[in-house]
Amino acid sequence: VQLQASGGGLVQPGGSLNLSCAASGSIFSRYVMAWYRQAPGKQRELVATITSTGVTEYKGSVKGRFTISRDNAKNTVTLQMLRLKPEDTAVYYCNAGDYIGSYYYPQRSWGQGTLVTVSS
């Protein structure tokens, strides 16, 4: 699956952004889709996942502020981010993969991410 994330930008603390990811090249609906982020100097971390039937999981620090959703007809996945904090600053990536047990395995290839900067 080829992926392209978009929608990042500069936002003040407490603000909101909607990220979008367009997927192509394979059967989108069979994958568990995910958003990851990588802050400067830190490892990439899993932020949220959504199964083909809409079951979601979130990293603890974003629960209640971020919402992941998908449109299987349009091959897109979105991340609505509310009440943003400076620590949310990162490059955000989407990916496709699956769960094996409780662990999420993304595909090896990564598309271009989109930068989110939360600053006053």
Side-chain angles (χ1 to χ4, degrees):
V1 179
Q2 290 79 49
L3 302 153
Q4 180 66 52
S6 62
L10 173 63
V11 62
Q12 291 187 341
S16 62
L17 275 176
N18 289 331
L19 305 184
S20 184
C21 175
S24 62
S26 189
I27 302 175
F28 174 82
S29 62
R30 80 171 44 152
Y31 292 98
V32 178
M33 298 301 296
W35 284 97
Y36 284 77
R37 67 186 181 188
Q38 187 167 18
K42 295 187 177 181
Q43 288 191 330
R44 192 173 297 176
E45 60 181 6
L46 181 62
V47 174
T49 62
I50 184 166
T51 69
S52 58
T53 56
V55 177
T56 58
E57 294 284 345
Y58 296 94
K59 174 181 172 60
S61 61
V62 308
K63 201 172 291 186
R65 299 189 298 121
F66 290 12
T67 301
I68 187 172
S69 60
R70 67 190 292 165
D71 186 332
N72 290 333
K74 296 182 179 179
N75 285 10
T76 59
V77 59
T78 61
L79 186 68
Q80 181 187 45
M81 305 186 294
L82 305 177
R83 300 189 299 279
L84 282 161
K85 304 175 181 180
E87 52 263 42
D88 295 319
T89 295
V91 178
Y92 284 72
Y93 301 86
C94 60
N95 210 337
D98 206 352
Y99 275 100
I100 299 178
S102 61
Y103 195 82
Y104 181 75
Y105 289 86
Q107 65 175 11
R108 289 185 177 183
S109 61
W110 293 83
Q112 197 167 10
T114 186
L115 176 62
V116 172
T117 304
V118 185
S119 175
S120 55

